[in-house]
Amino acid sequence: MSDYPELDRIMDGIRARDEGAFAVAYRHTADPLASFANGMVQDRVFAEDAVQQAFLELVKASPSIEGDGRSLRAWLFRSVRFSCLDELRRRRRRPEALTSQPPEPTASPSIEVETADPDLVAALQQLSERQRTLLALKHIIGLDGNEIVDIVGGNRAAVYAATARAERHLRNLLTDGTPERSDGQA
């Protein structure tokens, strides 16, 4: 049994495409998924669409999904992450027309610009997309290291090391405004 007993119990229902099971899964995961997506793309409407798309994909893939509630959460987060990455690539290829009023930046999931420390917002904007993703999954969504590896993929040690580097980089930006250098010197 995973850390998500309610999701563990509904996995058979998900595999059988039971509407009630999908509703329970949605209730338990939609808010953190939307916060994560909003942090990646800084667009609440797209974030909600990405969550809906993940659940549509879940319906199609449900008979073949294996594992427990943790596996389900990881699957949903990966789906949302890929949707967001696709959207970010699309935006880079075809940037929206500039307006006279630029949109307010959002630092990360569930951190509102109006209430966030401006130094934190500025520091987060200096991090790479991957660094923001790792920090959001760990500190905002509250996932453990193994869950983060399940979502972003790759080697466990490399993901742990990248998360630690992102934390150090953010800490350096907040303490003295200088990014961490790759040779370990500030």
Side-chain angles (χ1 to χ4, degrees), residues 63-118:
S64 64
I65 293 183
E66 297 179 9
D68 57 13
R70 179 177 153 182
S71 299
L72 175 62
R73 277 179 56 97
W75 192 96
L76 289 166
F77 272 99
R78 268 193 311 274
S79 178
V80 168
R81 178 174 174 259
F82 289 138
S83 291
C84 291
L85 291 172
D86 288 344
E87 175 67 8
L88 292 170
R89 281 190 289 272
R90 184 195 67 77
R91 288 179 183 181
R92 279 192 288 272
R93 283 191 310 268
R94 292 182 297 193
E96 302 297 324
L98 295 176
T99 63
S100 59
Q101 210 47 10
E104 289 294 319
T106 303
S108 61
S110 75
I111 295 178
E112 296 298 324
V113 172
E114 299 81 34
T115 60
D117 176 349

Short mmCIF file of all heavy atoms in Angstrom, two decimals, residues 63-118:
data_model
loop_
_atom_site.label_atom_id
_atom_site.label_comp_id
_atom_site.label_asym_id
_atom_site.label_seq_id
_atom_site.Cartn_x
_atom_site.Cartn_y
_atom_site.Cartn_z
N PRO A 63 -7.05 0.83 -18.49
CA PRO A 63 -6.91 -0.63 -18.35
C PRO A 63 -5.46 -1.09 -18.24
O PRO A 63 -5.18 -2.14 -17.66
CB PRO A 63 -7.55 -1.18 -19.63
CG PRO A 63 -8.43 -0.10 -20.13
CD PRO A 63 -7.77 1.18 -19.71
N SER A 64 -4.53 -0.31 -18.77
CA SER A 64 -3.13 -0.74 -18.78
C SER A 64 -2.29 -0.13 -17.67
O SER A 64 -1.11 -0.44 -17.55
CB SER A 64 -2.51 -0.41 -20.13
OG SER A 64 -2.49 0.99 -20.31
N ILE A 65 -2.89 0.72 -16.83
CA ILE A 65 -2.11 1.35 -15.76
C ILE A 65 -1.90 0.35 -14.63
O ILE A 65 -2.85 -0.26 -14.15
CB ILE A 65 -2.79 2.64 -15.25
CG1 ILE A 65 -2.75 3.67 -16.36
CG2 ILE A 65 -2.12 3.15 -14.00
CD1 ILE A 65 -3.31 5.00 -16.00
N GLU A 66 -0.66 0.20 -14.25
CA GLU A 66 -0.30 -0.74 -13.19
C GLU A 66 0.10 0.02 -11.94
O GLU A 66 0.39 1.21 -11.99
CB GLU A 66 0.85 -1.63 -13.66
CG GLU A 66 0.48 -2.47 -14.86
CD GLU A 66 1.62 -3.34 -15.33
OE1 GLU A 66 2.66 -3.42 -14.64
OE2 GLU A 66 1.47 -3.94 -16.39
N GLY A 67 0.12 -0.67 -10.83
CA GLY A 67 0.62 -0.08 -9.60
C GLY A 67 -0.48 0.36 -8.65
O GLY A 67 -1.64 -0.03 -8.78
N ASP A 68 -0.07 1.22 -7.73
CA ASP A 68 -0.95 1.66 -6.66
C ASP A 68 -1.26 3.15 -6.81
O ASP A 68 -1.06 3.72 -7.88
CB ASP A 68 -0.31 1.36 -5.30
CG ASP A 68 1.08 2.00 -5.17
OD1 ASP A 68 1.44 2.87 -5.99
OD2 ASP A 68 1.80 1.64 -4.22
N GLY A 69 -1.75 3.75 -5.74
CA GLY A 69 -2.10 5.17 -5.78
C GLY A 69 -0.93 6.07 -6.10
O GLY A 69 -1.08 7.09 -6.77
N ARG A 70 0.24 5.71 -5.62
CA ARG A 70 1.44 6.51 -5.92
C ARG A 70 1.73 6.47 -7.43
O ARG A 70 2.07 7.48 -8.03
CB ARG A 70 2.61 5.98 -5.13
CG ARG A 70 3.89 6.71 -5.41
CD ARG A 70 5.00 6.22 -4.56
NE ARG A 70 6.23 6.46 -5.26
CZ ARG A 70 7.39 6.12 -4.81
NH1 ARG A 70 7.50 5.53 -3.66
NH2 ARG A 70 8.46 6.37 -5.51
N SER A 71 1.59 5.31 -8.03
CA SER A 71 1.80 5.18 -9.47
C SER A 71 0.80 6.03 -10.25
O SER A 71 1.14 6.64 -11.25
CB SER A 71 1.66 3.72 -9.91
OG SER A 71 2.61 2.91 -9.27
N LEU A 72 -0.44 6.05 -9.77
CA LEU A 72 -1.47 6.85 -10.42
C LEU A 72 -1.12 8.33 -10.35
O LEU A 72 -1.20 9.05 -11.34
CB LEU A 72 -2.83 6.60 -9.78
CG LEU A 72 -3.99 7.47 -10.28
CD1 LEU A 72 -4.23 7.25 -11.76
CD2 LEU A 72 -5.24 7.19 -9.47
N ARG A 73 -0.72 8.82 -9.16
CA ARG A 73 -0.33 10.22 -9.02
C ARG A 73 0.83 10.55 -9.94
O ARG A 73 0.83 11.57 -10.62
CB ARG A 73 0.05 10.54 -7.57
CG ARG A 73 -1.13 10.83 -6.68
CD ARG A 73 -0.70 11.12 -5.26
NE ARG A 73 0.26 12.19 -5.13
CZ ARG A 73 -0.04 13.44 -4.83
NH1 ARG A 73 -1.27 13.80 -4.65
NH2 ARG A 73 0.90 14.35 -4.71
N ALA A 74 1.83 9.69 -9.97
CA ALA A 74 2.99 9.92 -10.83
C ALA A 74 2.57 9.97 -12.29
O ALA A 74 3.01 10.84 -13.04
CB ALA A 74 4.05 8.84 -10.61
N TRP A 75 1.69 9.07 -12.70
CA TRP A 75 1.21 9.03 -14.07
C TRP A 75 0.52 10.35 -14.41
O TRP A 75 0.77 10.94 -15.47
CB TRP A 75 0.25 7.85 -14.25
CG TRP A 75 -0.09 7.55 -15.67
CD1 TRP A 75 0.51 6.62 -16.47
CD2 TRP A 75 -1.09 8.19 -16.47
NE1 TRP A 75 -0.07 6.65 -17.71
CE2 TRP A 75 -1.06 7.61 -17.74
CE3 TRP A 75 -2.00 9.20 -16.24
CZ2 TRP A 75 -1.90 7.99 -18.78
CZ3 TRP A 75 -2.85 9.60 -17.26
CH2 TRP A 75 -2.79 8.99 -18.50
N LEU A 76 -0.36 10.83 -13.53
CA LEU A 76 -1.08 12.08 -13.77
C LEU A 76 -0.13 13.27 -13.82
O LEU A 76 -0.25 14.14 -14.69
CB LEU A 76 -2.16 12.28 -12.71
CG LEU A 76 -3.36 11.35 -12.81
CD1 LEU A 76 -4.19 11.40 -11.53
CD2 LEU A 76 -4.21 11.70 -14.03
N PHE A 77 0.82 13.34 -12.89
CA PHE A 77 1.78 14.45 -12.89
C PHE A 77 2.63 14.43 -14.16
O PHE A 77 2.91 15.48 -14.74
CB PHE A 77 2.68 14.43 -11.65
CG PHE A 77 2.11 15.18 -10.49
CD1 PHE A 77 1.47 14.51 -9.46
CD2 PHE A 77 2.21 16.56 -10.41
CE1 PHE A 77 0.93 15.20 -8.39
CE2 PHE A 77 1.68 17.26 -9.35
CZ PHE A 77 1.04 16.58 -8.33
N ARG A 78 3.04 13.24 -14.61
CA ARG A 78 3.81 13.16 -15.86
C ARG A 78 2.99 13.66 -17.03
O ARG A 78 3.49 14.40 -17.88
CB ARG A 78 4.26 11.71 -16.13
CG ARG A 78 5.61 11.36 -15.58
CD ARG A 78 6.13 10.04 -16.13
NE ARG A 78 5.18 8.95 -16.07
CZ ARG A 78 4.99 8.14 -15.04
NH1 ARG A 78 5.70 8.30 -13.95
NH2 ARG A 78 4.10 7.19 -15.09
N SER A 79 1.73 13.25 -17.09
CA SER A 79 0.87 13.68 -18.18
C SER A 79 0.73 15.21 -18.20
O SER A 79 0.87 15.83 -19.25
CB SER A 79 -0.51 13.02 -18.04
OG SER A 79 -1.37 13.47 -19.05
N VAL A 80 0.49 15.80 -17.03
CA VAL A 80 0.37 17.26 -16.94
C VAL A 80 1.69 17.92 -17.31
O VAL A 80 1.72 18.91 -18.04
CB VAL A 80 -0.12 17.69 -15.54
CG1 VAL A 80 0.03 19.18 -15.32
CG2 VAL A 80 -1.57 17.25 -15.33
N ARG A 81 2.78 17.37 -16.82
CA ARG A 81 4.11 17.93 -17.12
C ARG A 81 4.37 17.95 -18.63
O ARG A 81 4.82 18.95 -19.19
CB ARG A 81 5.18 17.13 -16.41
CG ARG A 81 6.59 17.61 -16.69
CD ARG A 81 7.61 16.84 -15.82
NE ARG A 81 8.93 17.20 -16.21
CZ ARG A 81 9.72 16.44 -16.98
NH1 ARG A 81 9.30 15.28 -17.43
NH2 ARG A 81 10.92 16.84 -17.31
N PHE A 82 4.07 16.83 -19.30
CA PHE A 82 4.29 16.77 -20.75
C PHE A 82 3.40 17.76 -21.49
O PHE A 82 3.85 18.40 -22.45
CB PHE A 82 4.09 15.35 -21.29
CG PHE A 82 5.18 14.39 -20.87
CD1 PHE A 82 4.86 13.12 -20.46
CD2 PHE A 82 6.52 14.76 -20.87
CE1 PHE A 82 5.84 12.22 -20.07
CE2 PHE A 82 7.51 13.88 -20.48
CZ PHE A 82 7.17 12.61 -20.08
N SER A 83 2.16 17.92 -21.06
CA SER A 83 1.27 18.91 -21.68
C SER A 83 1.85 20.31 -21.53
O SER A 83 1.84 21.11 -22.46
CB SER A 83 -0.12 18.87 -21.06
OG SER A 83 -0.78 17.69 -21.40
N CYS A 84 2.36 20.60 -20.34
CA CYS A 84 2.94 21.93 -20.08
C CYS A 84 4.20 22.15 -20.90
O CYS A 84 4.40 23.24 -21.45
CB CYS A 84 3.23 22.11 -18.59
SG CYS A 84 1.75 22.22 -17.57
N LEU A 85 5.05 21.14 -20.98
CA LEU A 85 6.27 21.28 -21.79
C LEU A 85 5.93 21.49 -23.25
O LEU A 85 6.56 22.32 -23.93
CB LEU A 85 7.17 20.05 -21.62
CG LEU A 85 7.82 19.90 -20.25
CD1 LEU A 85 8.53 18.54 -20.14
CD2 LEU A 85 8.76 21.04 -19.95
N ASP A 86 4.92 20.77 -23.75
CA ASP A 86 4.47 20.99 -25.13
C ASP A 86 3.98 22.41 -25.32
O ASP A 86 4.28 23.06 -26.33
CB ASP A 86 3.36 20.01 -25.51
CG ASP A 86 3.86 18.59 -25.70
OD1 ASP A 86 5.08 18.39 -25.85
OD2 ASP A 86 3.00 17.67 -25.69
N GLU A 87 3.21 22.92 -24.36
CA GLU A 87 2.69 24.28 -24.45
C GLU A 87 3.83 25.31 -24.42
O GLU A 87 3.83 26.28 -25.17
CB GLU A 87 1.70 24.55 -23.31
CG GLU A 87 1.19 25.97 -23.24
CD GLU A 87 0.31 26.38 -24.42
OE1 GLU A 87 -0.05 25.52 -25.25
OE2 GLU A 87 -0.02 27.58 -24.51
N LEU A 88 4.81 25.10 -23.56
CA LEU A 88 5.94 26.02 -23.49
C LEU A 88 6.73 26.03 -24.80
O LEU A 88 7.14 27.08 -25.28
CB LEU A 88 6.85 25.68 -22.31
CG LEU A 88 6.24 25.94 -20.93
CD1 LEU A 88 7.12 25.34 -19.84
CD2 LEU A 88 6.01 27.42 -20.70
N ARG A 89 6.92 24.85 -25.40
CA ARG A 89 7.59 24.78 -26.71
C ARG A 89 6.78 25.50 -27.77
O ARG A 89 7.32 26.23 -28.60
CB ARG A 89 7.84 23.32 -27.11
CG ARG A 89 9.03 22.70 -26.44
CD ARG A 89 9.37 21.35 -27.03
NE ARG A 89 8.40 20.33 -26.70
CZ ARG A 89 8.43 19.57 -25.61
NH1 ARG A 89 9.42 19.71 -24.75
NH2 ARG A 89 7.50 18.67 -25.40
N ARG A 90 5.47 25.30 -27.75
CA ARG A 90 4.60 25.98 -28.72
C ARG A 90 4.70 27.49 -28.57
O ARG A 90 4.81 28.22 -29.54
CB ARG A 90 3.15 25.54 -28.54
CG ARG A 90 2.21 26.15 -29.57
CD ARG A 90 0.75 26.02 -29.21
NE ARG A 90 0.38 26.80 -28.05
CZ ARG A 90 0.19 28.12 -28.03
NH1 ARG A 90 0.36 28.83 -29.11
NH2 ARG A 90 -0.15 28.74 -26.93
N ARG A 91 4.73 27.96 -27.34
CA ARG A 91 4.81 29.40 -27.09
C ARG A 91 6.14 29.97 -27.55
O ARG A 91 6.20 31.11 -28.01
CB ARG A 91 4.60 29.71 -25.60
CG ARG A 91 3.17 29.51 -25.17
CD ARG A 91 3.02 29.79 -23.70
NE ARG A 91 1.66 29.54 -23.27
CZ ARG A 91 1.24 29.73 -22.04
NH1 ARG A 91 2.06 30.19 -21.12
NH2 ARG A 91 -0.01 29.46 -21.72
N ARG A 92 7.21 29.20 -27.43
CA ARG A 92 8.52 29.69 -27.90
C ARG A 92 8.55 29.77 -29.42
O ARG A 92 9.18 30.66 -29.98
CB ARG A 92 9.64 28.79 -27.39
CG ARG A 92 10.04 29.10 -25.97
CD ARG A 92 11.33 28.41 -25.58
NE ARG A 92 11.19 26.98 -25.42
CZ ARG A 92 10.85 26.38 -24.29
NH1 ARG A 92 10.60 27.08 -23.22
NH2 ARG A 92 10.76 25.07 -24.23
N ARG A 93 7.89 28.84 -30.08
CA ARG A 93 7.85 28.85 -31.55
C ARG A 93 6.97 29.96 -32.08
O ARG A 93 7.27 30.57 -33.09
CB ARG A 93 7.33 27.51 -32.09
CG ARG A 93 8.34 26.40 -32.05
CD ARG A 93 7.87 25.19 -32.85
NE ARG A 93 6.53 24.76 -32.51
CZ ARG A 93 6.21 23.83 -31.61
NH1 ARG A 93 7.17 23.26 -30.92
NH2 ARG A 93 4.96 23.48 -31.40
N ARG A 94 5.85 30.21 -31.41
CA ARG A 94 4.90 31.23 -31.85
C ARG A 94 4.52 32.11 -30.66
O ARG A 94 3.46 31.96 -30.09
CB ARG A 94 3.64 30.59 -32.41
CG ARG A 94 3.86 29.86 -33.70
CD ARG A 94 2.58 29.31 -34.19
NE ARG A 94 2.11 28.33 -33.19
CZ ARG A 94 1.16 27.47 -33.38
NH1 ARG A 94 0.52 27.45 -34.50
NH2 ARG A 94 0.80 26.62 -32.46
N PRO A 95 5.40 33.03 -30.30
CA PRO A 95 5.08 33.90 -29.16
C PRO A 95 3.83 34.73 -29.45
O PRO A 95 3.58 35.12 -30.58
CB PRO A 95 6.31 34.78 -28.99
CG PRO A 95 7.15 34.56 -30.17
CD PRO A 95 6.65 33.36 -30.91
N GLU A 96 3.07 34.94 -28.41
CA GLU A 96 1.86 35.75 -28.53
C GLU A 96 2.24 37.18 -28.88
O GLU A 96 3.33 37.65 -28.56
CB GLU A 96 1.06 35.74 -27.22
CG GLU A 96 0.66 34.36 -26.76
CD GLU A 96 -0.28 33.66 -27.72
OE1 GLU A 96 -1.13 34.33 -28.32
OE2 GLU A 96 -0.15 32.44 -27.86
N ALA A 97 1.35 37.89 -29.52
CA ALA A 97 1.60 39.29 -29.85
C ALA A 97 1.78 40.08 -28.56
O ALA A 97 1.09 39.86 -27.57
CB ALA A 97 0.42 39.85 -30.64
N LEU A 98 2.74 40.97 -28.58
CA LEU A 98 3.00 41.78 -27.40
C LEU A 98 1.84 42.74 -27.15
O LEU A 98 1.28 43.31 -28.09
CB LEU A 98 4.30 42.57 -27.57
CG LEU A 98 5.56 41.74 -27.66
CD1 LEU A 98 6.75 42.64 -27.92
CD2 LEU A 98 5.77 40.94 -26.38
N THR A 99 1.51 42.90 -25.90
CA THR A 99 0.47 43.85 -25.54
C THR A 99 1.11 44.98 -24.77
O THR A 99 2.25 44.90 -24.34
CB THR A 99 -0.61 43.17 -24.65
OG1 THR A 99 0.01 42.76 -23.44
CG2 THR A 99 -1.25 42.00 -25.36
N SER A 100 0.36 46.05 -24.58
CA SER A 100 0.90 47.18 -23.85
C SER A 100 1.05 46.85 -22.37
O SER A 100 1.83 47.46 -21.67
CB SER A 100 0.00 48.40 -24.01
OG SER A 100 -1.30 48.10 -23.53
N GLN A 101 0.32 45.88 -21.87
CA GLN A 101 0.36 45.50 -20.46
C GLN A 101 0.83 44.05 -20.37
O GLN A 101 0.08 43.13 -20.65
CB GLN A 101 -1.05 45.64 -19.90
CG GLN A 101 -1.24 45.98 -18.48
CD GLN A 101 -0.41 47.14 -17.95
OE1 GLN A 101 0.26 47.90 -18.64
NE2 GLN A 101 -0.42 47.25 -16.67
N PRO A 102 2.09 43.79 -19.98
CA PRO A 102 2.55 42.41 -19.87
C PRO A 102 1.84 41.70 -18.72
O PRO A 102 1.45 42.33 -17.75
CB PRO A 102 4.05 42.54 -19.60
CG PRO A 102 4.21 43.90 -19.02
CD PRO A 102 3.12 44.75 -19.61
N PRO A 103 1.68 40.38 -18.84
CA PRO A 103 1.03 39.64 -17.75
C PRO A 103 1.91 39.63 -16.51
O PRO A 103 3.14 39.72 -16.60
CB PRO A 103 0.87 38.24 -18.32
CG PRO A 103 1.91 38.14 -19.38
CD PRO A 103 2.09 39.53 -19.92
N GLU A 104 1.28 39.54 -15.37
CA GLU A 104 2.01 39.45 -14.11
C GLU A 104 2.68 38.08 -14.04
O GLU A 104 2.06 37.06 -14.30
CB GLU A 104 1.05 39.60 -12.92
CG GLU A 104 0.53 41.00 -12.74
CD GLU A 104 1.61 41.99 -12.36
OE1 GLU A 104 2.48 41.64 -11.54
OE2 GLU A 104 1.59 43.10 -12.90
N PRO A 105 3.96 38.02 -13.69
CA PRO A 105 4.63 36.72 -13.59
C PRO A 105 4.16 35.96 -12.36
O PRO A 105 3.81 36.55 -11.35
CB PRO A 105 6.11 37.10 -13.46
CG PRO A 105 6.09 38.46 -12.88
CD PRO A 105 4.84 39.13 -13.39
N THR A 106 4.15 34.64 -12.47
CA THR A 106 3.83 33.78 -11.35
C THR A 106 5.09 33.00 -11.04
O THR A 106 5.68 32.41 -11.94
CB THR A 106 2.68 32.82 -11.71
OG1 THR A 106 1.57 33.61 -12.10
CG2 THR A 106 2.31 31.95 -10.54
N ALA A 107 5.47 32.96 -9.81
CA ALA A 107 6.73 32.34 -9.44
C ALA A 107 6.68 30.83 -9.48
O ALA A 107 7.54 30.18 -10.04
CB ALA A 107 7.15 32.80 -8.05
N SER A 108 5.68 30.23 -8.87
CA SER A 108 5.58 28.79 -8.81
C SER A 108 4.18 28.44 -8.35
O SER A 108 3.42 29.32 -7.98
CB SER A 108 6.63 28.23 -7.84
OG SER A 108 6.42 28.75 -6.56
N PRO A 109 3.84 27.15 -8.37
CA PRO A 109 2.49 26.77 -8.00
C PRO A 109 2.08 27.32 -6.64
O PRO A 109 2.84 27.29 -5.69
CB PRO A 109 2.55 25.25 -7.96
CG PRO A 109 3.67 24.90 -8.85
CD PRO A 109 4.67 26.02 -8.72
N SER A 110 0.88 27.83 -6.57
CA SER A 110 0.20 28.32 -5.38
C SER A 110 0.90 29.46 -4.65
O SER A 110 0.58 29.75 -3.53
CB SER A 110 -0.11 27.17 -4.41
OG SER A 110 1.05 26.76 -3.74
N ILE A 111 1.87 30.10 -5.28
CA ILE A 111 2.46 31.31 -4.71
C ILE A 111 1.87 32.47 -5.48
O ILE A 111 2.12 32.64 -6.66
CB ILE A 111 3.99 31.34 -4.82
CG1 ILE A 111 4.60 30.23 -3.98
CG2 ILE A 111 4.54 32.68 -4.39
CD1 ILE A 111 6.09 30.15 -4.07
N GLU A 112 1.05 33.25 -4.84
CA GLU A 112 0.42 34.38 -5.50
C GLU A 112 1.40 35.55 -5.54
O GLU A 112 2.06 35.85 -4.57
CB GLU A 112 -0.85 34.79 -4.76
CG GLU A 112 -1.93 33.73 -4.76
CD GLU A 112 -2.42 33.38 -6.15
OE1 GLU A 112 -2.50 34.29 -7.00
OE2 GLU A 112 -2.71 32.20 -6.39
N VAL A 113 1.48 36.20 -6.70
CA VAL A 113 2.42 37.30 -6.88
C VAL A 113 2.13 38.43 -5.89
O VAL A 113 3.04 39.02 -5.35
CB VAL A 113 2.36 37.81 -8.33
CG1 VAL A 113 3.19 39.07 -8.50
CG2 VAL A 113 2.84 36.74 -9.28
N GLU A 114 0.84 38.70 -5.63
CA GLU A 114 0.49 39.81 -4.76
C GLU A 114 1.01 39.61 -3.34
O GLU A 114 1.31 40.55 -2.63
CB GLU A 114 -1.03 40.00 -4.70
CG GLU A 114 -1.68 40.31 -6.03
CD GLU A 114 -1.93 39.05 -6.87
OE1 GLU A 114 -2.22 37.97 -6.31
OE2 GLU A 114 -1.81 39.15 -8.09
N THR A 115 1.10 38.35 -2.88
CA THR A 115 1.50 38.08 -1.51
C THR A 115 2.91 37.53 -1.39
O THR A 115 3.41 37.39 -0.29
CB THR A 115 0.52 37.09 -0.85
OG1 THR A 115 0.55 35.87 -1.58
CG2 THR A 115 -0.88 37.65 -0.80
N ALA A 116 3.54 37.20 -2.51
CA ALA A 116 4.87 36.60 -2.46
C ALA A 116 5.93 37.66 -2.24
O ALA A 116 5.80 38.81 -2.63
CB ALA A 116 5.16 35.87 -3.77
N ASP A 117 7.00 37.25 -1.62
CA ASP A 117 8.16 38.10 -1.42
C ASP A 117 8.74 38.43 -2.80
O ASP A 117 9.05 37.53 -3.58
CB ASP A 117 9.17 37.32 -0.58
CG ASP A 117 10.48 38.05 -0.36
OD1 ASP A 117 10.72 39.09 -1.00
OD2 ASP A 117 11.26 37.57 0.47
N PRO A 118 8.88 39.71 -3.12
CA PRO A 118 9.38 40.06 -4.46
C PRO A 118 10.78 39.51 -4.73
O PRO A 118 11.11 39.19 -5.87
CB PRO A 118 9.37 41.59 -4.48
CG PRO A 118 8.96 42.05 -3.13
CD PRO A 118 8.54 40.87 -2.33
#
